[in-house]
Amino acid sequence: YSDGILNSGFASNTLTTPITFGFISVNPDAMAIHPDGESALVCGRGASGYEGYKLLKVNSDGIFDTTFNNNAKFPNDSQVCYAVSVIGTDIYCYLGGSSGLVKFDQYGIQDTSFPSFQFNGAVKSFAHLSDGSILAAGSFLNVNSLANTSHLVKIKPDNTIDTTFASNWGNLVTGNSGAEAINSVAVGLDGSIFIGGLFDAINVPVPGGSVSINYILKLNSNGTVNPDFSVNMGRLISSDPYFGGVNQIKIISDPVGSDYKVLLGGDFDRIFQSSRNIYPRYMTKVTSEGFIDSTFYLNQVTNQTSIGFDDQVNSLDIQDDGKIIAVGSYTSVNGESRPKLARLTSDGYYDQ
């Protein structure tokens, strides 16, 4: 339930043995809320006997929906559904192998008129723009072997790639570990685009020179870098420079005005800004211009204490009441034992 109490009416919560359909013994890779607003879409790779099942629909009672087009079974058993996104009533999945980006309707029927988009690396996140375009981000270096389509690509409503979108990140995105990727992409209320991941964005141009910023960038709607955000944001720093990164970006609407905040979760433990360190530890909130939100509790820490998470945040989401749900590899939050799953208030306090 919304208060964190286990819902005993949800089928998988009452099972004494693992579910024997679909993802038994195999970890799902991603999930999204179905267009009906109640069911869940879970994607990954089916286990023995169910290898072809890539996308499952789970009803609000926890029971698999067997009417969902045979739960999107694909003939190539080696394929994995790595990412899923819902835009309106359409469902988009990225599959490894030859299928690439696949589109379904809300009933799980594949749109065979949707053209083939072949990524030579993984797609990890989707977002959509107000004009109906889709943004796909990940670790790929090109799409359909086209130039200037590395890491971030814009697909227009007519299902063609926008070659005017400034998305040539090949010379911008590099990583210390060789596993550079954009893990998350989100769109602000003003159409600005935020990308976060495991990368160093080196020599971002600014008037009179350049700045170096890692893990997070703000782009204009045409895909060019907004350097002001980089300067204001400072530099996210990981305790381990070879891993680190931003895993998830969420946009938070301002309940009073038209502005918004940007919530970041990942593997970073401080922000270096204005010649000093702030220690938000694996989660931080900033304004749309990139200034630290000083009202957010985790941003008020100026030394390494028990405040915050003790390990990385892998994914997060915002409830309708503004409270923050976070999952990750951590074991405590703000000194409270809370392994793997926790909820914070909208201003960053551990929700008792």
Side-chain angles (χ1 to χ4, degrees):
Y1 294 102
S2 60
D3 58 4
I5 303 299
L6 191 68
N7 182 357
S8 60
F10 190 72
S12 63
N13 288 341
T14 62
L15 297 177
T16 57
T17 58
I19 296 174
T20 57
F21 177 78
F23 298 116
I24 179 174
S25 76
V26 177
N27 291 326
D29 287 281
M31 68 166 291
I33 301 300
H34 185 270
D36 64 14
E38 297 180 353
S39 307
L41 296 167
V42 183
C43 71
R45 174 171 51 195
S48 176
Y50 301 94
E51 291 89 346
Y53 293 91
K54 311 302 180 187
L55 179 66
L56 304 177
K57 180 186 176 189
V58 184
N59 293 328
S60 58
D61 57 3
I63 302 297
F64 286 107
D65 184 350
T66 56
T67 68
F68 187 69
N69 190 31
N70 200 20
N71 279 291
K73 191 175 190 299
F74 291 86
N76 186 342
D77 289 346
S78 65
Q79 293 175 341
V80 180
C81 179
Y82 292 100
V84 59
S85 181
V86 173
I87 301 176
T89 59
D90 296 324
I91 302 167
Y92 294 86
C93 298
Y94 168 69
L95 299 173
S98 59
S99 292
L101 185 62
V102 181
K103 179 183 177 182
F104 301 93
D105 66 14
Q106 60 183 318
Y107 306 106
I109 307 299
Q110 184 175 351
D111 182 355
T112 55
S113 68
F114 190 69
S116 174
F117 292 100
Q118 296 298 314
F119 297 79
N120 75 334
V123 174
K124 299 192 172 186
S125 181
F126 295 104
H128 67 280
L129 301 173
S130 59
D131 66 356
S133 298
I134 302 169
L135 297 174
S139 59
F140 54 88
L141 297 180
N142 67 71
V143 183
N144 293 349
S145 300
L146 294 175
N148 299 336
T149 55
S150 67
H151 295 89
L152 179 67
V153 67
K154 178 182 176 182
I155 301 173
K156 297 188 293 185
D158 63 0
N159 297 330
T160 61
I161 292 176
D162 185 352
T163 57
T164 67
F165 187 70
S167 59
N168 181 18
W169 303 105
N171 298 322
L172 182 64
V173 175
T174 60
N176 290 324
S177 69
E180 59 272 11
I182 297 175
N183 293 330
S184 184
V185 56
V187 179
L189 303 183
D190 58 356
S192 296
I193 300 165
F194 297 86
I195 58 172
L198 175 59
F199 60 81
D200 295 322
I202 302 173
N203 297 327
V204 175
V206 298
S210 62
V211 296
S212 178
I213 188 73
N214 63 340
Y215 303 160
I216 176 73
L217 281 175
K218 180 180 181 180
L219 312 178
N220 300 311
S221 58
N222 64 358
T224 57
V225 175
N226 182 328
D228 294 333
F229 182 86
S230 298
V231 173
N232 297 334
M233 178 65 193
R235 184 176 177 86
L236 288 177
I237 301 173
S238 170
S239 56
D240 188 338
Y242 289 95
F243 294 94
V246 168
N247 294 329
Q248 186 87 61
I249 303 173
K250 288 293 181 180
I251 303 300
I252 304 175
S253 301
D254 190 324
V256 178
S258 59
D259 198 9
Y260 58 92
K261 301 288 177 39
V262 183
L263 186 68
L264 309 175
D267 187 13
F268 53 85
D269 61 358
R270 76 196 96 151
I271 301 173
F272 182 75
Q273 185 181 56
S274 303
S275 300
R276 70 189 184 104
N277 280 321
I278 302 171
Y279 294 89
R281 300 217 308 165
Y282 308 108
M283 180 186 291
T284 189
K285 187 199 289 187
V286 300
T287 68
S288 59
E289 294 85 14
F291 292 101
I292 303 300
D293 181 357
S294 59
T295 67
F296 193 63
Y297 180 52
L298 302 188
N299 287 340
Q300 299 173 12
V301 185
T302 56
N303 54 68
Q304 296 192 41
T305 68
S306 61
I307 296 175
F309 297 84
D310 66 350
D311 206 341
Q312 68 174 301
V313 172
N314 294 330
S315 185
L316 52 84
D317 212 337
I318 312 298
Q319 295 185 171
D320 291 341
D321 60 4
K323 292 183 178 180
I324 302 164
I325 302 291
V327 296
S329 54
Y330 56 84
T331 59
S332 69
V333 184
N334 295 348
E336 299 279 351
S337 176
R338 178 58 68 178
K340 313 301 182 186
L341 172 65
R343 186 170 70 177
L344 279 66
T345 63
S346 60
D347 48 7
Y349 291 90
Y350 172 63
D351 186 9
Q352 302 288 345

